[in-house]
């Protein structure tokens, strides 16, 4: 089934090639629906690029590696102010999960490109590195949080689908996402409202952007965006809650006792983008983004009849019973407050018309404050508060870059060789601030079996708190050589030295051959790396979960590799993940509006980063936090990821309007080659890395602009995937089948300043198979689904432009 779907997709792409002919790369004129004329839209591959190449005149068709370009119209066609959701619908190999009730990942959702780790994709804004989130997610990934970037501020997005560490440094293993901010004059104000068909999850969104041309000297754009989203719930009452209600008819047990769904979330984002000419050969530029968000999510319900670690009477606290506070149990409320800042400033100019330079500095900071309400530290008995400050995580990054670009005229070549070179300094600082002492205290009741720590999410303790940093220095050279009209080759090399582990050298070779002026082959081979972060090298954490079999709370500890207990269990110092990437592609364009590409790739990763298998605490070892098990970060295993990307685009006049058809498909398969995850003791890790995401993902989008109307239909396809319970021991697996969703939208331009848009995502209100192994917790649909499981979503937008 999978191979036939892959074959059909490739045959469709090849049929597009066979329909092609010669192309006029320049835009021509055509009649508009209102009888005027306009420049005919070029093919998708004629867009000018800045990502993946340092030459100033490269189009998408001419690049040596595959780059997707998404315009402002593409971005606004997706009803979401979360950039992750936008990219998940536009980029075939990009997957983002909702992860309800998954601690901090409810708010900082992991997003993957080509099935690799979230922190193996580099994020840039206006070509400058965007800082990481302070959160370490599942398996220890620490990635940039795209949700902090306002979608209304974006002019376009360029996605390089190729390894690029030799060009950009650490993290660019799966690819590079470059967000280009809006800089055009004019004002745009948008108000939107959406709600799920089940009547919850209402979202009220507002954005405003205004820009000015500063005479002949530059431009200034300002952005503001707000979003207020209600929670959703796709939950059934837990069986043990039903039994508890039956056993205690005098009590009023809420139904459901806990909520599985999206969190309640408020977000505010502002920013600016400035360019100013200081002289004919000198430009000053700066941009800044600030985001604040506040959200709340449910945790697992504590049953008074079975949660013996909290509901226990002891002689240590005479007369105290938690039932006096929570007679029907309690579901802790997990709070997350984020403040995110990115500031960049620089100068660029030219020494000669052939030699250009760029000097910049940037500062990025992400701080997350955690809180827990409606909870208890049972070991403190009556002295325990019910609300806790759990502490703060902070990631701060400082970058300084010096870049040069030289167009080198070589007598034997018709076009100049583009030579780029430069240097970078980067510092990362990670800080953990301890929470309230009560959030991690081991009170006197612990001796009688009452659980210590804030029940639901223990706070960061004084021993866990600290501040750590890492510095790196890098130098690179990047060349593109046009060998005549048909051949182009490229080579890049980068040397980088890190204070925490030493140096690394990476390279990249690229080539492109034009079979005809409109059909070309391209290929690359590169090595890459991802350096461990200060957070991964030094921090520890404590989490709690609910075993789906026993319905008992378990407490897991994740130790630093430097922790003596971790070293006793086999931990070793972390080293960089390393990659080797090879790709081969075919790209084409035609004069009938048909363009596209097919790219196959293979990514071999060694020393991949993960959490070790879980270990029981050795007998006789102090265990004051009551860990059920512990693990640690480690360079654990090697993998091979193979896949193919197929992109096709067709533009043509249809009746009185213009039609656009876009096919985007990705096949991606990862296999564990060797390492400790291959053995039965950590079968869960192997299954998750190989099968937790669909191998097939694709979309087919059609738009028709006619007169004042704009119509859109999009079909989204997700292949089968596997989930696990996440139990402390004895994981249970479930295979989920493929899913197809249909989205429809219609826009109407009332006048040149005012337009309306309405739409429905998941028109047929489709849901995946139920997660049978999670029924004991009231969960209906898997928390790890690679798509939204809340059903149909209806939305409306009102836009004013001046």
């Amino acid at each position: 089934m999978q191979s036939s779907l892959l074959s059909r997709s490739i045959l469709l792409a090849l049929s597009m090639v066979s329909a092609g002919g010669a192309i006029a790369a320049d835009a021509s004129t055509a009649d508009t629906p209102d009888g005027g004329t306009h420049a005919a839209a070029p093919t998708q591959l004629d867009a000018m690029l800045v990502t993946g190449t340092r030459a100033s005149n490269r189009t998408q068709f001419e690049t040596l590696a595959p780059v997707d370009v998404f315009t402002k119209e593409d971005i606004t066609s997706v009803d979401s102010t979360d950039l992750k959701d936008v990219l998940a619908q536009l980029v075939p190999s990009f997957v983002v999960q909702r992860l309800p009730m998954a601690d901090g990942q409810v708010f900082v959702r992991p997003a993957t490109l080509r099935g690799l780790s979230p922190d193996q994709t580099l994020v840039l804004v206006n070509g400058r590195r965007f800082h990481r989130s302070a959160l370490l997610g599942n398996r220890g990934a620490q990635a940039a949080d795209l949700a902090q970037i306002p979608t209304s501020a974006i002019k376009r997005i360029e996605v390089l689908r190729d390894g690029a560490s030799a060009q950009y440094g650490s993290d660019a293993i799966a690819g590079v996402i470059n967000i280009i901010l809006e800089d055009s004059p004019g004002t745009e104000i948008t108000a939107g409202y959406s709600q799920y068909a089940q009547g919850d999850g209402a979202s009220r969104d507002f954005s405003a952007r205004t820009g000015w041309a500063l005479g002949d000297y530059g431009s200034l754009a300002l952005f503001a965006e707000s979003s207020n989203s209600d929670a959703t719930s796709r939950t059934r009452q837990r069986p043990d809650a039903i039994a508890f209600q039956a056993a205690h008819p005098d009590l009023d047990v809420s139904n459901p006792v806990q909520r599985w769904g999206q969190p309640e979330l408020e977000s505010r984002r502002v920013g600016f983008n400035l360019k100013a000419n200081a002289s004919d050969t000198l430009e000053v530029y700066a941009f800044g983004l600030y985001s604040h968000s506040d959200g709340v999510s449910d945790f697992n319900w504590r049953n008074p009849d079975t949660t013996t670690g909290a509901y226990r009477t002891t002689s240590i606290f005479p007369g105290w019973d938690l039932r006096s506070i929570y007679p029907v149990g309690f579901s802790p409320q997990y709070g997350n407050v984020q403040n995110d800042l990115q500031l960049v400033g620089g100068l660029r100019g030219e020494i000669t018309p052939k030699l250009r330079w760029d000097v910049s500095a940037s500062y990025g900071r992400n701080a997350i404050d955690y809180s827990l309400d409606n909870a208890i530290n049972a070991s403190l008995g009556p002295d325990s508060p019910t609300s806790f400050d759990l502490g703060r995580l902070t990631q701060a990054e400082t970058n300084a870059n010096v870049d040069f670009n030289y167009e080198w005229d070589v007598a034997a070549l018709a076009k100049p060789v583009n030579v780029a070179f430069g240097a970078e300094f980067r510092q990362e600082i990670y800080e953990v601030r301890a929470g309230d002492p009560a959030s991690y205290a081991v009170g006197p009741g612990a001796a009688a079996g009452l659980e210590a720590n804030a029940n639901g999410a223990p706070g960061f303790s004084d021993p866990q708190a600290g501040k750590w940093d890492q510095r790196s220095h890098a130098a690179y050279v990047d060349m593109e050589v046009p060998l005549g009209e048909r051949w182009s080759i490229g080579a890049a090399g980068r040397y980088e030295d890190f204070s925490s582990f030493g140096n690394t050298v990476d390279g990249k070779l690229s080539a492109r051959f034009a079979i005809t002026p409109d059909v070309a082959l391209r290929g690359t081979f590169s090595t890459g790396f991802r350096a461990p972060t200060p957070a991964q090298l030094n921090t520890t954490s404590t989490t709690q979960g609910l075993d789906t079999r026993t319905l008992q709370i378990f407490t897991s500890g994740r130790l630093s590799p430097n922790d003596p207990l971790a070293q006793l269990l086999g931990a070793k110092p972390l080293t960089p993940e390393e990659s080797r990437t090879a790709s081969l592609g075919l790209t084409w364009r035609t004069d009938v509006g048909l363009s596209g590409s097919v790219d196959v790739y293979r990514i071999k990763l060694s020393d991949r980063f993960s959490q070790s298998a879980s270990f029981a605490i050795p007998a006789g070892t102090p265990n004051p936090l009551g860990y059920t098990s512990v693990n640690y970060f480690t360079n654990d295993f090697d993998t091979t990821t193979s896949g193919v990307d197929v992109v096709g685009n067709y533009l043509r006049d249809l009746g009185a309007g213009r039609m656009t058809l876009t096919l985007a498909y990705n096949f991606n398969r990862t296999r564990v080659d060797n390492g400790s995850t291959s053995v039965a003791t950590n079968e869960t890790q192997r299954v998750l890395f190989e099968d937790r995401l669909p191998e097939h993902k694709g979309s087919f989008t059609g738009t028709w602009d006619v007169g004042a109307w704009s119509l859109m239909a999009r079909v989204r396809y997700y292949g089968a995937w596997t989930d696990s319970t996440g139990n402390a021991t004895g994981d249970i697996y479930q295979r989920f089948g493929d899913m197809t969703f249909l989205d429809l939208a219609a826009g109407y331009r009332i006048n040149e300043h005012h337009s309306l848009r309405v739409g429905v995502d998941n028109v047929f209100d489709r849901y995946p198979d139920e997660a049978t192994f999670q029924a004991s917790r009231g969960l209906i649909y898997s928390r790890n689904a690679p798509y939204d499981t809340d059903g149909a979503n209806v939305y409306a937008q009102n836009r004013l432009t001046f």
Side-chain angles (χ1 to χ4, degrees):
M1 177 66 181
Q2 292 178 346
S3 60
S4 65
L5 178 59
L6 175 60
S7 300
R8 290 198 301 270
S9 299
I10 294 176
L11 286 173
L12 175 59
L14 293 177
S15 69
M16 293 180 178
V17 178
S18 64
I23 183 171
D26 296 331
S28 60
T29 60
D31 291 337
T32 62
D34 58 6
T37 62
H38 65 79
T43 67
Q44 184 186 27
L45 300 184
D46 287 321
M48 298 296 292
L49 296 179
V50 297
T51 309
T53 177
R54 289 186 167 92
S56 60
N57 58 350
R58 289 288 184 267
T59 68
Q60 191 178 0
F61 178 68
E62 296 168 331
T63 57
L64 306 183
V67 181
D68 294 324
V69 179
F70 301 101
T71 65
K72 191 175 188 67
E73 288 72 25
D74 296 324
I75 297 165
T76 56
S77 73
V78 180
D79 176 48
S80 180
T81 59
D82 188 329
L83 184 53
K84 293 180 181 178
D85 291 329
V86 173
L87 288 171
Q89 290 204 26
L90 297 179
V91 181
S93 60
F94 191 89
V95 176
V96 63
Q97 299 165 284
R98 281 287 182 192
L99 296 178
M101 211 181 295
D103 296 356
Q105 291 188 119
V106 176
F107 306 100
V108 184
R109 297 182 296 149
T112 66
L113 187 67
R114 289 185 164 177
L116 301 182
S117 178
D119 54 5
Q120 290 170 345
T121 298
L122 177 63
V123 176
L124 308 174
V125 177
N126 283 354
R128 293 293 177 255
R129 179 183 286 265
F130 190 73
H131 58 277
R132 308 176 195 276
S133 167
L135 175 70
L136 275 71
N138 277 352
R139 294 174 294 279
Q142 187 184 7
D145 184 11
L146 287 161
Q148 303 302 322
I149 301 172
T151 56
S152 59
I154 300 174
K155 182 176 184 178
R156 70 178 187 276
I157 302 172
E158 298 179 358
V159 181
L160 171 64
R161 294 180 277 111
D162 194 41
S165 291
Q167 297 166 292
Y168 296 104
S170 179
D171 307 348
I173 290 177
V176 179
I177 298 174
N178 191 6
I179 312 298
I180 310 299
L181 298 180
E182 186 65 77
D183 59 0
S184 59
T187 298
E188 182 177 289
I189 300 173
T190 302
Y193 180 85
S194 66
Q195 183 173 293
Y196 286 94
Q198 291 201 19
D200 59 4
S203 179
R204 294 155 289 276
D205 306 313
F206 176 84
S207 66
R209 178 194 64 81
T210 187
W212 302 272
L214 304 177
D216 296 329
Y217 298 101
S219 63
L220 173 64
L222 302 178
F223 324 111
E225 187 174 280
S226 70
S227 179
N228 188 330
S229 300
D230 296 339
T232 62
S233 179
R234 301 295 176 266
T235 316
R236 292 195 182 104
Q237 183 66 304
R238 283 173 45 161
D240 62 329
I242 296 173
F244 179 81
Q245 179 70 86
H248 304 276
D250 54 317
L251 299 178
D252 184 14
V253 180
S254 60
N255 186 3
V257 289
Q258 68 186 59
R259 181 183 51 79
W260 290 97
Q262 300 179 33
E264 180 182 335
L265 183 64
E266 294 184 8
S267 300
R268 305 288 183 269
R269 307 180 187 99
V270 295
F272 73 93
N273 189 22
L274 171 68
K275 299 177 183 178
N277 298 322
S279 71
D280 291 341
T281 60
L282 179 64
E283 181 185 74
V284 179
Y285 64 90
F287 66 88
L289 300 171
Y290 173 76
S291 174
H292 171 84
S293 62
D294 190 345
V296 178
S297 174
D298 278 21
F299 270 5
N300 287 298
W301 178 65
R302 273 60 174 167
N303 186 333
D305 286 350
T306 60
T307 311
T308 56
Y311 286 90
R312 180 192 299 257
T313 57
T314 75
S315 59
I316 297 176
F317 304 120
W320 183 78
D321 189 337
L322 188 56
R323 287 174 176 80
S324 63
I325 303 175
Y326 301 123
V328 295
F330 63 99
S331 176
Q333 300 293 292
Y334 189 62
N336 175 297
V337 176
Q338 284 198 67
N339 288 284
D340 192 276
L341 174 69
Q342 179 84 8
L343 290 173
V344 176
L347 299 169
R348 55 186 166 219
E350 59 181 43
I351 300 172
T352 71
K354 297 285 188 179
L355 179 60
R356 299 180 298 275
W357 58 271
D358 190 325
V359 177
S360 66
S362 67
Y363 175 77
R365 180 179 183 271
N366 178 259
I368 308 176
D369 291 275
Y370 294 109
S371 62
L372 195 69
D373 296 321
N374 200 50
I376 198 76
N377 182 336
S379 70
L380 296 176
D383 295 328
S384 172
T386 57
S387 295
F388 303 87
D389 171 14
L390 303 180
R392 173 186 293 173
L393 303 177
T394 304
Q395 170 80 10
E397 300 178 26
T398 302
N399 291 270
N401 295 82
V402 179
D403 302 292
F404 295 90
N405 201 84
Y406 179 58
E407 294 183 9
W408 178 25
D409 291 319
V410 178
L413 300 176
K415 297 180 180 179
V417 175
N418 196 85
V419 182
F421 55 96
E424 179 183 58
F425 166 78
R426 183 154 51 98
Q427 181 182 44
E428 293 186 56
I429 298 175
Y430 194 77
E431 184 174 3
V432 178
R433 176 183 63 77
D436 293 336
S439 70
Y440 58 84
V442 181
L450 287 171
E451 291 174 342
N453 312 309
N455 199 300
F460 300 111
S461 65
D462 280 335
Q464 291 175 315
K467 189 174 184 179
W468 305 272
D469 75 321
Q470 176 175 264
R471 296 169 304 283
S472 67
H473 302 79
Y476 74 89
V477 62
D478 188 352
M479 300 179 63
E480 293 187 24
V481 184
L483 300 177
E485 293 298 322
R486 292 194 169 193
W487 277 103
S488 295
I489 61 172
R494 187 181 183 95
Y495 170 85
E496 195 147 359
D497 183 76
F498 286 80
S499 59
S500 57
F501 61 82
N503 59 68
T504 179
V505 177
D506 289 280
K508 182 172 184 176
L509 297 174
S510 309
R512 180 183 183 275
F513 177 71
I515 302 172
T516 74
D518 307 310
V519 180
L521 283 170
R522 61 192 179 196
T524 68
F525 176 79
S526 64
T527 63
F529 74 103
R530 191 201 64 81
T533 68
Q536 294 164 340
L537 290 165
N538 298 286
T539 63
T540 65
S541 68
T542 304
T543 58
Q544 291 184 342
L546 184 74
D547 192 291
T548 59
R549 287 172 166 167
T550 66
L551 294 183
Q552 293 299 306
I553 303 298
F554 62 85
T555 303
S556 299
R558 194 264 301 150
L559 307 177
S560 162
N562 301 322
D563 186 281
L565 176 57
Q567 293 178 345
L568 176 67
L569 297 172
K572 297 179 181 179
L574 294 178
T575 60
E577 298 174 310
E578 298 183 345
S579 67
R580 288 177 292 159
T581 300
S583 68
L584 180 65
L586 176 71
T587 183
W588 66 90
R589 59 185 183 180
T590 74
D591 59 357
V592 295
L594 192 63
S595 62
S597 61
V598 177
D599 292 275
V600 296
Y601 58 87
R602 186 178 180 87
I603 307 168
K604 292 189 70 68
L605 270 162
S606 58
D607 296 328
R608 286 197 67 169
F609 185 80
S610 182
Q611 291 178 188
S612 71
S614 295
F615 299 91
I617 302 297
T621 302
N623 188 17
L625 296 180
Y627 288 140
T628 308
S629 61
V630 295
N631 56 49
Y632 50 83
F633 289 149
T634 180
N635 292 102
D636 200 26
F637 61 108
D638 304 337
T639 61
T640 298
T641 297
S642 303
V644 58
D645 287 321
V646 179
V647 177
N649 199 68
Y650 182 48
L651 304 173
R652 65 161 295 168
D653 292 333
L654 180 64
R658 165 153 296 192
M659 179 187 69
T660 303
L661 300 177
T662 301
L663 167 73
Y665 166 76
N666 171 254
F667 168 78
N668 193 86
R669 173 177 291 165
T670 295
R671 290 293 177 260
V672 175
D673 297 328
N674 53 64
S676 63
T677 56
S678 303
V679 300
T681 56
N682 208 352
E683 175 71 3
T684 297
Q685 290 291 311
R686 185 192 63 78
V687 170
L688 291 179
F689 272 95
E690 292 188 347
D691 301 321
R692 67 188 173 90
L693 296 176
E695 290 186 345
H696 299 271
K697 180 174 178 279
S699 66
F700 185 77
T701 305
T703 62
W704 187 37
D705 296 318
V706 53
W709 288 94
S710 177
L711 307 177
M712 187 275 289
R714 176 181 289 124
V715 177
R716 293 178 284 130
Y717 175 80
Y718 299 82
W721 59 284
T722 299
D723 196 11
S724 71
T725 56
N727 285 339
T729 58
D731 252 331
I732 306 170
Y733 303 100
Q734 182 175 345
R735 186 73 172 169
F736 293 88
D738 58 357
M739 287 289 294
T740 302
F741 303 99
L742 173 65
D743 308 327
L744 297 175
Y748 181 72
R749 188 175 65 255
I750 299 173
N751 54 50
E752 62 177 329
H753 300 297
H754 189 194
S755 63
L756 299 174
R757 179 182 172 88
V758 295
V760 183
D761 289 342
N762 190 1
V763 171
F764 297 114
D765 198 25
R766 297 201 63 203
Y767 294 87
D769 299 335
E770 294 191 6
T772 56
F773 60 62
Q774 300 279 15
S776 60
R777 293 200 281 178
L779 178 67
I780 302 177
Y781 309 109
S782 172
R783 64 192 297 190
N784 298 312
Y787 36 71
D788 190 347
T789 59
D790 284 332
N793 185 54
V794 182
Y795 63 90
Q797 297 172 344
N798 187 3
R799 178 172 289 117
L800 298 173
T801 57
F802 305 96

